[in-house]
Amino acid sequence: MEEEMRLDKNVFLMGEEVAQYNGAYKVSQGMLDEFGPKRVIDTPISELGFAAIGVGAAMNNTRPVVEFMTWNFAELAIDQIVNHAAKIRSMSGGQFSCPIVFRGPNGSAGQLAAQHSQAFENWFANVPGLKVISTIDPYDSKGLLKSAIRDADPVIFMESETSYGDMGEVPEEEYLIPIGKAAVKREGSDVTIVSYNKMMKVAMAAAEELAKENISAEVIDLRTIRPLDWETIVESVRKTNRLVIVEEQWPFGSVSSEITYRVQKEAFDYLDAPIRRITSADTNMHYAPNLVAAHIPDAARTVAIVKEVLYIQQ
């Protein structure tokens, strides 16, 4: 965000606690000192209100980055995101654009119970006019956020509050990662595992465990949910002949549902086993630690499902 704000005076950040408090998760630490209160703006706890201000500002030749303290609160702003930001280019016949980024943490973060543990990628990916990014890798996050800020249309950028402390190599020189391109994070030949956001940690951990038993898993990080990189997924399935999808969504109408449909449509003859999905439980999140653990996909479940699609006796 700092790099883009230095390059373009029309980029500004607004949201809950982004200025004086340096961000609820310290994402905006030091930005108020550098850019001042007109470009790093604290808002009231009124998601619908400041999302609307951001949409109006974006329609008037600025590039707002709107931070929600959590996407669980951003449900209040869905009217502005879905009915205004996503539709204004189409409804105005191209006379208006809305170059805005809505970003913040998404999904569960431990013992935060039902109202603070929801993943919404599939909700926003269902809306024409929105781009949806969901990533936690430091390198990918920077390159994709820069691309999102420069995009001419609204972008939903979903992070994870449990991953803000993650470390990774990030080049000093400027780079961009194109929106809509998945990344093969681990090459393999026996099964394809597709995931995104913090469930990538589950997928990678499962691949490590499978490797100990000479099972070669190819792991794909979607990074972008809409537009989705079908080519990379289908190409991998044609190589491995098996697909397991790991995500934090509820199972009904999820991102994995759409992937399953598309793969069986375009690569059915290559499949040697049914596509399997590993999702969060089809229930609200509870507070008890054992129920939290049972709710969210983990590496052990993923390993077990991979062995099932490989028809390995357990």
Side-chain angles (χ1 to χ4, degrees):
M1 289 189 290
E2 289 174 344
E3 288 184 12
E4 293 304 299
M5 289 173 71
R6 290 169 191 145
L7 289 169
D8 185 349
K9 63 180 176 57
N10 291 314
V11 178
F12 68 93
L13 172 67
M14 64 187 300
E16 296 146 323
E17 299 185 343
V18 299
Q20 294 290 340
Y21 192 66
N22 285 307
Y25 306 102
K26 300 299 178 272
V27 172
S28 55
Q29 190 161 12
M31 292 180 65
L32 176 63
D33 293 338
E34 179 174 355
F35 299 104
K38 290 187 177 181
R39 295 185 68 195
V40 182
I41 304 167
D42 276 331
T43 66
I45 303 175
S46 178
E47 289 79 11
L48 175 60
F50 66 78
I53 291 170
V55 171
M59 291 170 60
N60 283 276
N61 301 313
T62 66
R63 291 183 176 270
V65 178
V66 175
E67 177 180 311
F68 298 116
M69 191 182 298
T70 164
W71 278 99
N72 290 281
F73 301 163
E75 294 171 85
L76 295 164
I78 279 180
D79 175 52
Q80 285 297 323
I81 296 171
V82 171
N83 280 329
H84 298 276
K87 293 180 172 62
I88 192 62
R89 180 184 289 278
S90 174
M91 291 173 63
S92 69
Q95 295 180 79
F96 286 99
S97 62
C98 191
I100 188 170
V101 176
F102 298 100
R103 51 157 293 271
N106 177 62
S108 64
Q111 290 180 265
L112 296 179
Q115 294 178 330
H116 293 70
S117 304
Q118 301 160 107
F120 294 112
E121 283 93 349
N122 60 325
W123 289 35
F124 293 106
N126 193 47
V127 181
L130 296 180
K131 296 180 175 75
V132 181
I133 295 168
S134 186
T135 183
I136 61 164
D137 177 85
Y139 177 88
D140 292 344
S141 296
K142 179 179 178 179
L144 282 163
L145 183 57
K146 288 172 74 72
S147 293
I149 292 171
R150 297 186 191 188
D151 200 278
D153 292 300
V155 178
I156 308 298
F157 201 95
M158 293 181 157
E159 301 158 6
S160 169
E161 66 186 90
T162 63
S163 300
Y164 283 130
D166 288 2
M167 305 292 284
E169 292 289 335
V170 178
E172 292 184 3
E173 64 273 11
E174 180 174 89
Y175 66 96
L176 300 174
I177 292 177
I179 297 172
K181 183 62 180 174
V184 177
K185 295 294 188 178
R186 182 186 181 112
E187 293 191 359
S189 56
D190 295 328
V191 61
T192 298
I193 303 176
V194 170
S195 192
Y196 56 92
N197 206 284
K198 65 176 176 288
M199 289 298 103
M200 275 297 298
K201 296 180 180 180
V202 171
M204 294 296 283
E208 290 287 343
E209 287 300 311
L210 290 163
K212 295 175 183 177
E213 301 182 45
N214 295 319
I215 298 170
S216 175
E218 181 148 295
V219 182
I220 296 174
D221 185 351
L222 294 178
R223 302 193 298 192
T224 302
I225 308 303
R226 183 176 182 132
L228 208 151
D229 183 358
W230 300 110
E231 183 177 338
T232 295
I233 300 170
V234 171
E235 181 181 345
S236 178
V237 170
R238 286 174 175 166
K239 177 175 68 172
T240 68
N241 310 118
R242 292 170 172 84
L243 174 61
V244 173
I245 309 159
V246 186
E247 64 173 346
E248 199 179 351
Q249 316 271 187
W250 290 305
F252 189 88
S254 66
V255 174
S256 63
S257 301
E258 186 67 19
I259 293 172
T260 300
Y261 163 75
R262 187 69 173 260
V263 170
Q264 66 82 30
K265 178 175 180 250
E266 297 189 12
F268 180 82
D269 289 340
Y270 291 87
L271 290 169
D272 288 340
I275 299 169
R276 295 293 302 272
R277 304 185 300 149
I278 305 169
T279 69
S280 287
D282 195 12
T283 183
N284 292 319
M285 174 75 86
H286 292 279
Y287 182 76
N290 60 319
L291 296 177
V292 172
H295 186 96
I296 303 171
D298 60 18
R301 275 176 63 194
T302 305
V303 168
I305 294 298
V306 167
K307 288 181 178 180
E308 287 182 18
V309 302
L310 288 166
Y311 302 114
I312 295 173
Q313 293 289 334
Q314 300 182 61

